[in-house]
Amino acid sequence: MHLSRRGFLAGTAALGATGLLTACGYQEEAPAPGAGETWSFTDDRGRKLEGERPTRIVAQVTAAAALWDLGVKSAGIFGPSKFADGKPDPQAGGVDLTAVTSLGNVYNEFNFGKFVSLNPQLLVSVMYLKDQMWYIPDTQTEKIDKAAPSVGVRLQGLAMPEGIAKFIALAKALGADTDTPAIQAAKAEYEKADAALGDAIKKASGLKVLLISAQKDTVYIANPPSFATSKHYQNKGMNFVLPEAPDQSQGGYYQQISWENIGKYTADVIMYDNRGGSLSLGPDGLGGVPTWGRLPAVKAGKLIPWNNETPFSYQRFTPQLTELAAALNKFA
């Protein structure tokens, strides 16, 4: 993940702290109750929510995508959902972008007026640092928190299956049937793909894999156990190259180094961050960085795209498992 493309990676952007939980605030009338249903849920900040079950939900985009695949549809979203050319961002998963209101597509962009106009009964966001809601501007935290209750889902240090389980629990609390035939079929496909990946990782056990997120003037060596996707791969036995000194002040996710020093991390395979804010392959991206072209894995063509903000659902993670297994089988 990253703030305003580079802020989090560079460790310079401030994330919003959370305020006091209250269901009242900036609306003249409270949202309509959820048909008399009740709920109870304790989030990862220790906040307990109970009473009438919310139905009008606004969610950070990857959280919205995870819930969407479980049958819980948000009225509004915030965070990257579209690229500049209008194409859907993978972080949006299966969310119908024509059916939701976007409050902002980049970090520190959160349209509070639109938020209130949706009569929100619940806000949901993931948390990559302790008690800090992702993509909530720190300048608006207090009034957003007064406008609607919120749920924070902590992701730091979790493997993808653990994160999926968290969203299943939240969806159940919100009244969703998480055992539908479609979800069970998606789980079965995930388990099949996961087993195939395990076989591929064993086959490629001799390969050292480096995770990076790149900008034109700097490169970030990713710390595999900090991210849900790569922690899962590590748990299955993938042989990752670890950063020497990840920045603990920013959660230990990355170590920032200069491109001149990238050669000190030797690897047989490179998994590169392919999200919109990072350099992708091509002459105007990684292909234009001289030291990149000299790396052995690059010369050998052993490159795999990596998205560390994959929505937490079987439907979104399965394709990544399949693509990774195919690449490893090819490179082994």
Side-chain angles (χ1 to χ4, degrees), residues 17-177:
T18 55
L20 298 175
L21 174 62
T22 173
C24 62
Y26 293 84
Q27 301 155 186
E28 293 184 1
E29 297 181 3
E37 299 289 341
T38 61
W39 85 316
S40 178
F41 188 82
T42 301
D43 81 348
D44 288 331
R45 298 167 296 177
R47 295 186 177 189
K48 185 174 183 179
L49 291 83
E50 55 189 356
E52 292 171 327
R53 179 186 292 158
T55 58
R56 299 284 297 175
I57 298 168
V58 173
Q60 182 270 339
V61 65
T62 52
L67 291 171
W68 198 280
D69 284 339
L70 292 164
V72 178
K73 298 184 177 181
S74 300
I77 59 172
F78 56 98
S81 59
K82 290 183 180 180
F83 292 122
D85 60 6
K87 293 181 180 178
D89 190 301
Q91 292 183 55
V95 173
D96 181 356
L97 297 180
T98 68
V100 296
T101 298
S102 174
L103 308 182
N105 200 59
V106 298
Y107 191 76
N108 264 346
E109 183 179 82
F110 187 103
N111 190 313
F112 182 73
K114 284 185 179 180
F115 177 59
V116 173
S117 73
L118 292 172
N119 293 320
Q121 296 173 309
L122 183 69
L123 181 144
V124 180
S125 185
V126 298
M127 300 185 298
Y128 290 105
L129 296 176
K130 181 176 174 59
D131 294 347
Q132 296 183 359
M133 302 282 273
W134 191 231
Y135 274 82
I136 296 293
D138 56 349
T139 57
Q140 299 189 62
T141 297
E142 185 175 356
K143 65 179 183 179
I144 290 171
D145 220 22
K146 287 179 179 178
S150 62
V151 163
V153 182
R154 183 182 63 82
L155 301 181
Q156 187 174 21
L158 290 185
M160 180 61 75
E162 297 170 304
I164 292 174
K166 284 195 174 194
F167 277 99
I168 289 174
L170 176 56
K172 284 182 177 179
L174 289 169
D177 179 359

Side-chain angles (χ1 to χ4, degrees), residues 233-304:
Y233 307 149
Q234 188 178 48
N235 288 346
K236 295 186 76 65
M238 185 170 281
N239 183 17
F240 280 112
V241 177
L242 303 179
E244 293 178 354
D247 184 355
Q248 297 302 324
S249 70
Q250 288 295 312
Y253 287 98
Y254 296 101
Q255 179 179 0
Q256 180 182 358
I257 64 171
S258 68
W259 275 111
E260 288 75 15
N261 292 319
I262 186 64
K264 69 186 293 185
Y265 288 99
T266 58
D268 304 296
V269 176
I270 295 176
M271 295 179 68
Y272 63 95
D273 186 344
N274 69 336
R275 294 168 303 152
S278 299
L279 293 186
S280 59
L281 300 179
D284 296 327
L286 285 166
V289 179
T291 47
W292 167 260
R294 294 197 288 266
L295 297 175
V298 177
K299 289 181 178 180
K302 294 181 178 180
L303 306 173
I304 303 173

